[in-house]
Amino acid sequence: MAIIRSVRGFSPEIGKDCFLADNAVIIGDVVIGDECSIWFSTVLRGDVNSIRIGNRVNVQDGSVLHTLYQKSTIEIGDDVSIGHNVVVHGAKIRDYALIGMGAVVMDDAEVGEGAIVAAGSVVLSRTKIGAHELWGGCPAKFIKMVEPAKAKEMNEKIARNYLMYSKWYEE
């Protein structure tokens, strides 16, 4: 069973039909929408500031979401995929975005709707990634525009797949 813990008077709120892996850790001021999946060894640490996650978001294995005390928060839109071993620290990620495996997205960065952050990238603090842009590298830089319909289709498919995978664990 996932570790769900209150701290400083804040208790996590979990939406309907969510999958929480046995060793996922969800602490404090965290609100998770409906049909989300929080995978193995993932930590959502809302102890110092808020974490808000939309619907059909998957936060994959080994990822860490955290913030800065009294400075940054996390806002994640709907149908977002956060790849394996990602760090999101006080950033905003809009609907249909994809954060690739091992990426780091730092405080006050913004990832636009349908944008893609390539695996292993480091998005520096205060970076603004526009809608439907592909960024990659260390530090991450603009690579090219992504066709909006294709990005949305891909990210909706990933979100649906992770919803399907999560159902395997109900048995």
Side-chain angles (χ1 to χ4, degrees), residues 2-169:
I3 298 168
I4 301 173
R5 184 170 177 187
S6 298
V7 67
R8 295 181 42 231
F10 294 101
S11 297
E13 298 176 25
I14 314 296
K16 297 180 302 210
D17 299 319
C18 288
F19 167 73
L20 308 176
D22 296 342
N23 63 346
V25 178
I26 304 165
I27 299 170
D29 192 4
V30 177
V31 177
I32 299 172
D34 298 335
E35 298 182 307
C36 292
S37 56
I38 311 300
W39 289 87
F40 298 96
S41 300
T42 292
V43 177
L44 309 181
R45 214 177 110 205
D47 55 351
V48 300
N49 221 328
S50 64
I51 298 173
R52 300 293 180 261
I53 297 175
N55 300 309
R56 295 170 307 281
V57 172
N58 59 88
V59 183
Q60 298 171 24
D61 311 70
S63 292
V64 175
L65 279 62
H66 195 237
T67 61
L68 282 174
Y69 182 60
Q70 298 181 336
K71 290 187 179 178
S72 65
T73 62
I74 291 177
E75 296 175 24
I76 298 175
D78 296 334
D79 299 292
V80 170
S81 291
I82 307 290
H84 309 292
N85 294 312
V86 166
V87 174
V88 176
H89 204 278
K92 293 175 182 30
I93 301 171
R94 304 296 178 212
D95 297 348
Y96 306 108
L98 170 64
I99 310 300
M101 295 181 284
V104 176
V105 183
M106 293 302 298
D107 297 285
D108 301 313
E110 293 183 22
V111 178
E113 181 175 329
I116 299 172
V117 174
S121 298
V122 177
V123 178
L124 299 177
S125 295
R126 295 177 294 286
T127 299
K128 307 297 184 218
I129 297 175
H132 313 294
E133 294 180 355
L134 169 62
W135 283 53
C138 184
K141 303 236 182 280
F142 174 79
I143 295 173
K144 68 178 186 175
M145 295 301 295
V146 178
E147 187 178 318
K150 284 190 178 183
K152 183 176 179 186
E153 177 184 342
M154 177 183 71
N155 289 332
E156 284 179 331
K157 179 181 179 185
I158 293 168
R160 282 192 308 274
N161 283 349
Y162 269 86
L163 194 56
M164 177 182 70
Y165 305 153
S166 72
K167 300 299 179 200
W168 297 345
Y169 292 87

